């Protein structure tokens, strides 16, 4: 009897583990768009003039015109050659994939804009909270990102290179690491 109970428990445990693995696999597959790339993901605008459309075709009306090359946007959906993007202000719309780049950039704490002149994002010499501050970035300042560790990003803003806390920028997910 005891052997049957142990065998039943083992079968039940293996079944749970397989169901969990299947759920994890399904979640990983659901997190990829038709392009095979992860969704959501950050990219930048490739051109100085990019139309944001209300639908995934040039036949749809333009709802916004971006005039800043290198601006970070988040791809949240894919349809054919069109990408539904969201900007740092939360504005959403469709952009043709040919106008997007895999280069990475970020915006310093856009959620802190207008909170006062004494609000800054510190750029540090090293990726440590105790490291020397080499620049104080106002909220909304755009920077190019070279790499992120999951906690810190190596960025360049106005010719100064240093490390910024990943939690203080919009353009890299918390815990995301890349080179």
């Amino acid at each position: 009897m005891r052997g049957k109970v142990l065998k039943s428990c083992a079968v039940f445990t293996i079944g749970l583990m397989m169901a969990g693995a299947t759920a994890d696999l399904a979640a990983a597959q659901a997190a990829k768009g038709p392009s095979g790339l992860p969704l959501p993901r950050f990219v930048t605008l490739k051109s100085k003039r990019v139309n944001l459309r209300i639908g995934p075709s040039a036949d749809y009306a333009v709802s916004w015109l971006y005039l800043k090359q290198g601006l970070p946007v988040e791809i949240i959906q894919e349809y054919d050659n069109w990408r539904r993007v969201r900007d740092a202000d939360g504005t959403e719309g469709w952009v043709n994939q040919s106008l997007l780049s895999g280069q990475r950039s970020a915006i310093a704490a856009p959620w802190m804009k207008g909170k006062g002149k004494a609000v800054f994002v510190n750029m540090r010499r090293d990726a440590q909270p105790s490291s020397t501050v080499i620049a104080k970035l106002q909220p909304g300042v755009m920077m190019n990102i070279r790499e992120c560790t999951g906690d810190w990003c190596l960025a360049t803003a106005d010719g100064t290179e240093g490390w910024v806390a990943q939690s203080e920028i919009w353009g890299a997910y918390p815990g995301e690491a890349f080179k």
Side-chain angles (χ1 to χ4, degrees):
M1 175 76 168
R2 184 176 172 160
K4 286 184 181 181
V5 170
L6 286 175
K7 194 178 220 180
S8 294
C9 287
V11 169
F12 180 72
T13 302
I14 290 170
L16 281 177
M17 288 171 46
M18 289 177 65
T22 302
D24 289 344
L25 180 60
Q29 288 173 339
K32 291 191 186 233
S35 68
L37 296 171
L39 285 177
R41 68 182 178 276
F42 283 104
V43 295
T44 55
L45 301 181
K46 192 186 288 187
S47 178
K48 290 182 182 178
R49 295 178 58 90
V50 175
N51 289 328
L52 185 71
R53 297 186 178 273
I54 62 172
S57 163
D59 295 334
Y60 285 95
V62 174
S63 61
W64 192 257
L65 174 64
Y66 291 108
L67 298 172
K68 183 73 173 167
Q69 183 178 4
L71 187 74
V73 293
E74 181 180 31
I75 296 177
I76 56 175
Q77 189 178 353
E78 298 179 346
Y79 177 77
D80 198 24
N81 290 330
W82 293 85
R83 303 297 180 255
R84 184 173 178 97
V85 299
R86 178 184 309 133
D87 66 21
D89 295 327
T91 302
E92 293 182 13
W94 293 87
V95 172
N96 190 285
Q97 72 174 3
S98 67
L99 299 171
L100 301 172
S101 168
Q103 296 295 313
R104 297 294 292 268
S105 68
I107 298 174
W111 55 88
M112 297 300 288
K113 278 191 214 174
K115 301 286 183 185
K117 294 188 185 248
V119 177
F120 296 100
V121 171
N122 290 325
M123 181 179 275
R124 299 183 179 275
R125 185 173 316 285
D126 299 303
Q128 299 173 12
S130 60
S131 182
T132 305
V133 174
I134 58 174
K136 290 183 174 279
L137 307 176
Q138 291 181 330
V141 167
M142 202 169 86
M143 63 194 83
N144 292 317
I145 300 176
R146 207 164 80 196
E147 70 177 273
C148 289
T149 66
D151 294 316
W152 294 90
C153 292
L154 181 58
T156 305
D158 295 328
T160 302
E161 184 177 81
W163 293 89
V164 293
Q166 211 157 321
S167 62
E168 295 182 332
I169 62 171
W170 191 87
Y173 299 108
E176 180 185 15
F178 62 88
K179 281 193 177 206

